[in-house]
Amino acid sequence: MPLLYALRNDLQLNGPKFGCGLGQCGACTVIVDGNPVRSCQMPMSAVGNRNVTTIEALGNTKKMHKIQQAFVDEQAVQCGYCINGMVMTTKALLDKNPKPNDTQIKEALAGNLCRCGTHIRILRAVKRASGQAA
């Protein structure tokens, strides 16, 4: 069973979304031991005692994490389906590289697809979250 199913069905953590089911869209991204992981592709048997972080651990509508707030401030959310994966990938990026440049941000988010076309706003949101707002 994939980690995504355990998170959504057993633990009721619905932040990670089922997108493509093939690990290609990034909607199901969670952080495992500091790295962004496609939870639809990670079997539960591979999780073991590793630390799994979902977007529910970052914040909520009453108290948002600075990354979530930056995505709101930059109006980076359109339909919103991909955003949780974008936020989690951004969290993993900023934890390792607090001041990424545009190329590093684009490389980190290259595996997260957004059909709404808000890529420029997403880039600005990541820069804002890292304290590099334009």
Side-chain angles (χ1 to χ4, degrees), residues 34-109:
N35 297 304
V37 170
R38 304 298 190 252
S39 62
C40 71
Q41 294 296 298
M42 182 172 217
M44 280 301 298
S45 61
V47 175
N49 291 327
R50 300 166 77 184
N51 291 317
V52 177
T53 305
T54 67
I55 197 163
E56 286 87 351
L58 296 187
N60 56 47
T61 57
K62 295 185 180 177
K63 184 169 173 50
M64 287 189 232
H65 185 277
K66 69 177 183 180
I67 295 171
Q68 294 168 311
Q69 187 64 57
F71 274 71
V72 170
D73 292 345
E74 293 295 339
Q75 299 179 10
V77 179
Q78 293 294 309
C79 81
Y81 204 81
C82 69
I83 292 301
N84 292 354
M86 296 274 188
V87 167
M88 295 309 288
T89 301
T90 299
K91 172 82 168 89
L93 169 66
L94 296 183
D95 285 348
K96 292 180 179 175
N97 181 0
K99 301 286 184 198
N101 62 35
D102 288 358
T103 301
Q104 292 167 324
I105 295 168
K106 290 175 183 175
E107 286 175 3
L109 293 173

Side-chain angles (χ1 to χ4, degrees), residues 4-47:
L4 177 64
Y5 294 173
L7 293 171
R8 292 183 59 84
N9 300 338
D10 298 337
L11 301 174
Q12 306 303 309
L13 297 171
N14 294 313
K17 303 297 183 197
F18 182 88
C20 65
L22 301 170
Q24 298 175 347
C25 73
C28 66
T29 302
V30 298
I31 298 174
V32 177
D33 288 343
N35 297 304
V37 170
R38 304 298 190 252
S39 62
C40 71
Q41 294 296 298
M42 182 172 217
M44 280 301 298
S45 61
V47 175

